Amino acid sequence: MNPLIEQISAELEACSDPVTRQGSRRFFKEEILLRGVKSIPVSSISKEYFKLVKSNSKDEIFALCEELFKTGYFEESIIACNWAESLHKQFTASDFELFERWIDIYITNWATCDTFCNHTMGAFIEMYPAYLHRLKQFTKSPNRWLRRAAAVSLIVPARKGLFLQDIL
């Protein structure tokens, strides 16, 4: 594992709270791996560590995002979502396959799905509306998170009045 990811995980673990961990479980039907860190410290840690990597290439940061997802912990997945969305100005059409793979493999709960798709996938679809047909294909997936992604990826664009015909 990348030493930076180990550092992030260690800092999150140091902020963990068993009461928060137990209380957070009630929001999920599925089994979820939680450290028990509230959202404000997760956001602070995300921003603090992003400062260390923001000068890296998009591919290097995406590789770190994947390592964060691979930990299986909810808090690390939220950091991965935040970092990916931070690069939205650098998205290229070829990023769609990576994002689809991340949803298929690493997204295992509604909160991570909504965080990733509302922001990262929503921004991607706004930039590359030709991929809307590919997003719609997610509705036929056996993976429930891909199916959910098809809907929640369009929430932020819909608030801007975009893709309303497609949504309806």
Side-chain angles (χ1 to χ4, degrees):
M1 182 184 291
N2 181 294
L4 184 69
I5 304 305
E6 288 178 353
Q7 260 186 294
I8 291 169
S9 293
E11 189 162 341
L12 288 167
E13 190 59 36
C15 294
S16 70
D17 172 44
V19 174
T20 300
R21 181 173 31 252
Q22 194 57 38
S24 297
R25 290 190 197 287
R26 74 177 187 275
F27 293 105
F28 300 95
K29 291 181 183 177
E30 55 281 325
E31 187 66 32
I32 184 165
L33 195 56
L34 291 162
R35 292 192 186 278
V37 183
K38 293 186 178 187
S39 60
I40 291 174
V42 172
S43 180
S44 295
I45 291 167
S46 177
K47 289 174 186 173
E48 172 190 335
Y49 281 91
F50 190 74
K51 290 175 189 173
L52 301 176
V53 300
K54 70 180 178 183
S55 63
N56 292 12
S57 73
K58 178 182 78 169
D59 290 340
E60 290 170 326
I61 295 172
F62 279 175
L64 292 170
C65 290
E66 184 139 0
E67 284 199 51
L68 285 161
F69 278 128
K70 281 181 181 179
T71 68
Y73 280 95
F74 173 70
E75 292 85 354
E76 279 89 330
S77 73
I78 296 302
I79 293 172
C81 294
N82 292 343
W83 287 11
E85 195 274 331
S86 293
L87 301 174
H88 70 274
K89 291 181 181 175
Q90 298 177 47
F91 289 170
T92 60
S94 63
D95 293 329
F96 186 87
E97 283 76 23
L98 176 65
F99 297 161
E100 179 180 12
R101 186 172 61 78
W102 283 354
I103 297 166
D104 189 40
I105 296 171
Y106 301 117
I107 296 195
T108 60
N109 64 76
W110 66 266
T112 304
C113 186
D114 291 9
T115 301
F116 183 77
C117 294
N118 279 189
H119 304 287
T120 303
M121 285 299 285
F124 179 89
I125 294 297
E126 283 185 46
M127 291 174 73
Y128 299 99
Y131 278 82
L132 186 56
H133 80 282
R134 296 270 307 273
L135 183 69
K136 287 180 181 181
Q137 291 173 351
F138 289 5
T139 62
K140 297 178 175 116
S141 173
N143 182 319
R144 73 192 264 196
W145 305 113
L146 280 166
R147 291 192 312 271
R148 184 178 178 98
V152 299
S153 294
L154 297 175
I155 291 173
V156 173
R159 287 182 183 151
K160 298 174 184 176
L162 301 173
F163 312 118
L164 298 180
Q165 282 298 331
D166 292 292
I167 292 166
L168 297 174

Short mmCIF file of all heavy atoms in Angstrom, two decimals, residues 128-163:
data_model
loop_
_atom_site.label_atom_id
_atom_site.label_comp_id
_atom_site.label_asym_id
_atom_site.label_seq_id
_atom_site.Cartn_x
_atom_site.Cartn_y
_atom_site.Cartn_z
N TYR A 128 -19.44 15.70 -20.81
CA TYR A 128 -19.50 14.76 -21.94
C TYR A 128 -20.92 14.18 -22.04
O TYR A 128 -21.14 13.00 -21.75
CB TYR A 128 -18.47 13.64 -21.76
CG TYR A 128 -17.06 14.17 -21.71
CD1 TYR A 128 -16.40 14.36 -20.50
CD2 TYR A 128 -16.39 14.53 -22.88
CE1 TYR A 128 -15.12 14.87 -20.45
CE2 TYR A 128 -15.10 15.04 -22.84
CZ TYR A 128 -14.47 15.21 -21.62
OH TYR A 128 -13.20 15.73 -21.57
N PRO A 129 -21.88 15.00 -22.45
CA PRO A 129 -23.26 14.52 -22.50
C PRO A 129 -23.48 13.35 -23.47
O PRO A 129 -24.46 12.62 -23.33
CB PRO A 129 -24.06 15.76 -22.92
CG PRO A 129 -23.07 16.74 -23.42
CD PRO A 129 -21.75 16.40 -22.83
N ALA A 130 -22.57 13.13 -24.37
CA ALA A 130 -22.69 11.98 -25.28
C ALA A 130 -22.63 10.66 -24.51
O ALA A 130 -23.09 9.63 -25.01
CB ALA A 130 -21.58 12.03 -26.34
N TYR A 131 -22.13 10.69 -23.29
CA TYR A 131 -22.04 9.47 -22.47
C TYR A 131 -23.32 9.20 -21.68
O TYR A 131 -23.40 8.21 -20.96
CB TYR A 131 -20.84 9.55 -21.51
CG TYR A 131 -19.56 9.17 -22.20
CD1 TYR A 131 -18.88 10.10 -22.97
CD2 TYR A 131 -19.05 7.88 -22.12
CE1 TYR A 131 -17.72 9.76 -23.64
CE2 TYR A 131 -17.89 7.53 -22.78
CZ TYR A 131 -17.23 8.48 -23.54
OH TYR A 131 -16.09 8.12 -24.21
N LEU A 132 -24.31 10.06 -21.84
CA LEU A 132 -25.57 9.84 -21.15
C LEU A 132 -26.19 8.50 -21.53
O LEU A 132 -26.73 7.79 -20.68
CB LEU A 132 -26.54 10.99 -21.44
CG LEU A 132 -27.84 11.00 -20.69
CD1 LEU A 132 -27.63 10.98 -19.17
CD2 LEU A 132 -28.66 12.23 -21.07
N HIS A 133 -26.06 8.12 -22.80
CA HIS A 133 -26.61 6.82 -23.21
C HIS A 133 -25.91 5.66 -22.51
O HIS A 133 -26.53 4.67 -22.17
CB HIS A 133 -26.56 6.66 -24.74
CG HIS A 133 -25.22 6.27 -25.26
ND1 HIS A 133 -24.19 7.15 -25.41
CD2 HIS A 133 -24.75 5.06 -25.65
CE1 HIS A 133 -23.12 6.52 -25.89
NE2 HIS A 133 -23.43 5.25 -26.04
N ARG A 134 -24.62 5.81 -22.26
CA ARG A 134 -23.88 4.77 -21.52
C ARG A 134 -24.33 4.73 -20.06
O ARG A 134 -24.47 3.67 -19.48
CB ARG A 134 -22.37 5.02 -21.58
CG ARG A 134 -21.73 4.95 -22.93
CD ARG A 134 -21.23 3.57 -23.31
NE ARG A 134 -20.35 2.92 -22.37
CZ ARG A 134 -19.02 3.06 -22.33
NH1 ARG A 134 -18.40 3.84 -23.18
NH2 ARG A 134 -18.33 2.39 -21.44
N LEU A 135 -24.57 5.90 -19.48
CA LEU A 135 -25.06 5.96 -18.10
C LEU A 135 -26.43 5.28 -18.00
O LEU A 135 -26.68 4.52 -17.07
CB LEU A 135 -25.15 7.42 -17.64
CG LEU A 135 -25.59 7.64 -16.20
CD1 LEU A 135 -24.51 7.16 -15.22
CD2 LEU A 135 -25.88 9.12 -15.96
N LYS A 136 -27.28 5.51 -18.98
CA LYS A 136 -28.60 4.89 -18.98
C LYS A 136 -28.51 3.36 -19.05
O LYS A 136 -29.37 2.66 -18.52
CB LYS A 136 -29.43 5.40 -20.16
CG LYS A 136 -29.92 6.82 -19.98
CD LYS A 136 -30.73 7.22 -21.20
CE LYS A 136 -31.23 8.62 -21.13
NZ LYS A 136 -32.04 8.96 -22.31
N GLN A 137 -27.47 2.84 -19.66
CA GLN A 137 -27.28 1.39 -19.73
C GLN A 137 -27.05 0.79 -18.35
O GLN A 137 -27.30 -0.40 -18.15
CB GLN A 137 -26.12 1.04 -20.67
CG GLN A 137 -26.43 1.33 -22.12
CD GLN A 137 -25.23 1.14 -23.03
OE1 GLN A 137 -24.11 0.94 -22.58
NE2 GLN A 137 -25.47 1.21 -24.32
N PHE A 138 -26.60 1.59 -17.40
CA PHE A 138 -26.40 1.10 -16.04
C PHE A 138 -27.71 0.58 -15.45
O PHE A 138 -27.70 -0.26 -14.56
CB PHE A 138 -25.88 2.22 -15.12
CG PHE A 138 -24.46 2.67 -15.34
CD1 PHE A 138 -23.68 2.20 -16.38
CD2 PHE A 138 -23.91 3.62 -14.48
CE1 PHE A 138 -22.38 2.65 -16.55
CE2 PHE A 138 -22.61 4.06 -14.64
CZ PHE A 138 -21.85 3.58 -15.69
N THR A 139 -28.85 1.09 -15.93
CA THR A 139 -30.13 0.68 -15.37
C THR A 139 -30.40 -0.81 -15.56
O THR A 139 -31.21 -1.38 -14.84
CB THR A 139 -31.31 1.47 -15.98
OG1 THR A 139 -31.36 1.21 -17.39
CG2 THR A 139 -31.17 2.96 -15.72
N LYS A 140 -29.70 -1.43 -16.49
CA LYS A 140 -29.90 -2.85 -16.77
C LYS A 140 -28.86 -3.74 -16.09
O LYS A 140 -28.87 -4.95 -16.26
CB LYS A 140 -29.86 -3.08 -18.27
CG LYS A 140 -31.00 -2.37 -18.99
CD LYS A 140 -30.91 -2.55 -20.49
CE LYS A 140 -32.12 -1.92 -21.13
NZ LYS A 140 -31.83 -0.83 -21.97
N SER A 141 -27.99 -3.15 -15.31
CA SER A 141 -26.91 -3.90 -14.66
C SER A 141 -27.45 -4.75 -13.51
O SER A 141 -28.35 -4.32 -12.78
CB SER A 141 -25.85 -2.94 -14.12
OG SER A 141 -24.90 -3.64 -13.35
N PRO A 142 -26.87 -5.92 -13.30
CA PRO A 142 -27.22 -6.69 -12.09
C PRO A 142 -26.67 -6.04 -10.81
O PRO A 142 -27.12 -6.35 -9.72
CB PRO A 142 -26.59 -8.06 -12.34
CG PRO A 142 -25.55 -7.85 -13.38
CD PRO A 142 -25.97 -6.64 -14.18
N ASN A 143 -25.71 -5.13 -10.97
CA ASN A 143 -25.11 -4.44 -9.82
C ASN A 143 -26.03 -3.28 -9.39
O ASN A 143 -26.24 -2.33 -10.14
CB ASN A 143 -23.72 -3.91 -10.20
CG ASN A 143 -23.02 -3.22 -9.06
OD1 ASN A 143 -23.61 -2.47 -8.29
ND2 ASN A 143 -21.72 -3.46 -8.95
N ARG A 144 -26.56 -3.38 -8.19
CA ARG A 144 -27.51 -2.36 -7.73
C ARG A 144 -26.89 -0.98 -7.64
O ARG A 144 -27.59 0.02 -7.77
CB ARG A 144 -28.13 -2.77 -6.39
CG ARG A 144 -27.18 -2.66 -5.22
CD ARG A 144 -27.71 -3.33 -3.99
NE ARG A 144 -28.37 -2.38 -3.12
CZ ARG A 144 -28.65 -2.64 -1.85
NH1 ARG A 144 -28.39 -3.81 -1.33
NH2 ARG A 144 -29.23 -1.73 -1.11
N TRP A 145 -25.58 -0.88 -7.43
CA TRP A 145 -24.95 0.43 -7.30
C TRP A 145 -24.78 1.08 -8.66
O TRP A 145 -24.86 2.32 -8.77
CB TRP A 145 -23.65 0.32 -6.51
CG TRP A 145 -23.93 -0.33 -5.20
CD1 TRP A 145 -23.50 -1.56 -4.77
CD2 TRP A 145 -24.82 0.14 -4.18
NE1 TRP A 145 -24.05 -1.85 -3.55
CE2 TRP A 145 -24.86 -0.83 -3.15
CE3 TRP A 145 -25.58 1.29 -4.02
CZ2 TRP A 145 -25.63 -0.68 -2.00
CZ3 TRP A 145 -26.35 1.44 -2.88
CH2 TRP A 145 -26.36 0.47 -1.88
N LEU A 146 -24.58 0.29 -9.70
CA LEU A 146 -24.58 0.85 -11.05
C LEU A 146 -25.99 1.33 -11.40
O LEU A 146 -26.16 2.41 -11.99
CB LEU A 146 -24.10 -0.17 -12.08
CG LEU A 146 -22.58 -0.34 -12.17
CD1 LEU A 146 -22.22 -1.59 -12.96
CD2 LEU A 146 -21.93 0.89 -12.80
N ARG A 147 -27.01 0.55 -11.04
CA ARG A 147 -28.39 0.98 -11.29
C ARG A 147 -28.68 2.30 -10.56
O ARG A 147 -29.27 3.21 -11.13
CB ARG A 147 -29.40 -0.10 -10.89
CG ARG A 147 -29.36 -1.32 -11.78
CD ARG A 147 -30.53 -2.26 -11.56
NE ARG A 147 -30.83 -2.59 -10.18
CZ ARG A 147 -30.30 -3.61 -9.51
NH1 ARG A 147 -29.44 -4.42 -10.11
NH2 ARG A 147 -30.64 -3.83 -8.24
N ARG A 148 -28.28 2.38 -9.30
CA ARG A 148 -28.50 3.62 -8.54
C ARG A 148 -27.71 4.77 -9.17
O ARG A 148 -28.20 5.90 -9.23
CB ARG A 148 -28.09 3.41 -7.08
CG ARG A 148 -28.39 4.63 -6.21
CD ARG A 148 -28.01 4.37 -4.76
NE ARG A 148 -28.25 5.53 -3.94
CZ ARG A 148 -29.33 5.73 -3.19
NH1 ARG A 148 -30.29 4.83 -3.15
NH2 ARG A 148 -29.46 6.82 -2.47
N ALA A 149 -26.49 4.48 -9.62
CA ALA A 149 -25.64 5.50 -10.25
C ALA A 149 -26.33 6.14 -11.45
O ALA A 149 -26.18 7.35 -11.69
CB ALA A 149 -24.30 4.90 -10.67
N ALA A 150 -27.09 5.34 -12.20
CA ALA A 150 -27.80 5.86 -13.36
C ALA A 150 -28.74 7.00 -12.98
O ALA A 150 -28.90 7.96 -13.74
CB ALA A 150 -28.57 4.74 -14.06
N ALA A 151 -29.33 6.90 -11.82
CA ALA A 151 -30.27 7.94 -11.37
C ALA A 151 -29.57 9.08 -10.65
O ALA A 151 -29.76 10.26 -10.98
CB ALA A 151 -31.33 7.32 -10.46
N VAL A 152 -28.75 8.77 -9.66
CA VAL A 152 -28.21 9.83 -8.81
C VAL A 152 -27.13 10.66 -9.50
O VAL A 152 -26.88 11.79 -9.08
CB VAL A 152 -27.71 9.30 -7.43
CG1 VAL A 152 -28.85 8.68 -6.65
CG2 VAL A 152 -26.55 8.35 -7.58
N SER A 153 -26.56 10.15 -10.58
CA SER A 153 -25.56 10.94 -11.32
C SER A 153 -26.19 12.17 -11.97
O SER A 153 -25.48 13.11 -12.33
CB SER A 153 -24.89 10.08 -12.39
OG SER A 153 -24.13 9.06 -11.80
N LEU A 154 -27.50 12.15 -12.13
CA LEU A 154 -28.17 13.25 -12.82
C LEU A 154 -28.82 14.25 -11.86
O LEU A 154 -29.43 15.22 -12.31
CB LEU A 154 -29.19 12.68 -13.79
CG LEU A 154 -28.58 11.83 -14.91
CD1 LEU A 154 -29.66 11.20 -15.76
CD2 LEU A 154 -27.61 12.64 -15.75
N ILE A 155 -28.69 14.05 -10.56
CA ILE A 155 -29.33 14.96 -9.60
C ILE A 155 -28.77 16.38 -9.71
O ILE A 155 -29.54 17.34 -9.84
CB ILE A 155 -29.23 14.41 -8.16
CG1 ILE A 155 -30.10 13.16 -8.02
CG2 ILE A 155 -29.61 15.48 -7.14
CD1 ILE A 155 -29.95 12.44 -6.70
N VAL A 156 -27.47 16.52 -9.63
CA VAL A 156 -26.88 17.87 -9.68
C VAL A 156 -27.12 18.51 -11.05
O VAL A 156 -27.54 19.68 -11.11
CB VAL A 156 -25.39 17.84 -9.27
CG1 VAL A 156 -24.73 19.20 -9.48
CG2 VAL A 156 -25.24 17.41 -7.81
N PRO A 157 -26.90 17.80 -12.17
CA PRO A 157 -27.23 18.41 -13.46
C PRO A 157 -28.71 18.80 -13.56
O PRO A 157 -29.04 19.85 -14.13
CB PRO A 157 -26.87 17.32 -14.48
CG PRO A 157 -25.80 16.53 -13.81
CD PRO A 157 -26.19 16.53 -12.36
N ALA A 158 -29.61 18.00 -12.99
CA ALA A 158 -31.04 18.33 -13.06
C ALA A 158 -31.34 19.62 -12.31
O ALA A 158 -32.20 20.41 -12.74
CB ALA A 158 -31.86 17.18 -12.48
N ARG A 159 -30.65 19.86 -11.22
CA ARG A 159 -30.85 21.11 -10.47
C ARG A 159 -30.47 22.33 -11.32
O ARG A 159 -30.93 23.44 -11.05
CB ARG A 159 -30.02 21.11 -9.19
CG ARG A 159 -30.57 20.19 -8.14
CD ARG A 159 -29.73 20.27 -6.88
NE ARG A 159 -30.22 19.34 -5.89
CZ ARG A 159 -29.47 18.77 -4.97
NH1 ARG A 159 -28.18 19.05 -4.89
NH2 ARG A 159 -29.99 17.92 -4.12
N LYS A 160 -29.63 22.09 -12.31
CA LYS A 160 -29.22 23.16 -13.23
C LYS A 160 -30.11 23.19 -14.47
O LYS A 160 -29.84 23.93 -15.40
CB LYS A 160 -27.77 22.94 -13.66
CG LYS A 160 -26.78 22.98 -12.52
CD LYS A 160 -25.39 22.61 -13.00
CE LYS A 160 -24.41 22.54 -11.85
NZ LYS A 160 -23.07 22.09 -12.31
N GLY A 161 -31.13 22.34 -14.48
CA GLY A 161 -32.04 22.29 -15.62
C GLY A 161 -31.54 21.44 -16.78
O GLY A 161 -32.10 21.50 -17.87
N LEU A 162 -30.51 20.65 -16.54
CA LEU A 162 -29.92 19.83 -17.61
C LEU A 162 -30.53 18.44 -17.67
O LEU A 162 -30.88 17.88 -16.63
CB LEU A 162 -28.40 19.72 -17.39
CG LEU A 162 -27.63 21.04 -17.34
CD1 LEU A 162 -26.18 20.77 -16.95
CD2 LEU A 162 -27.71 21.75 -18.68
N PHE A 163 -30.64 17.91 -18.86
CA PHE A 163 -31.04 16.51 -19.12
C PHE A 163 -32.45 16.18 -18.62
O PHE A 163 -32.75 15.02 -18.37
CB PHE A 163 -30.03 15.51 -18.52
CG PHE A 163 -28.60 15.82 -18.85
CD1 PHE A 163 -27.70 16.11 -17.84
CD2 PHE A 163 -28.16 15.82 -20.16
CE1 PHE A 163 -26.38 16.39 -18.13
CE2 PHE A 163 -26.84 16.12 -20.46
CZ PHE A 163 -25.94 16.41 -19.45
#
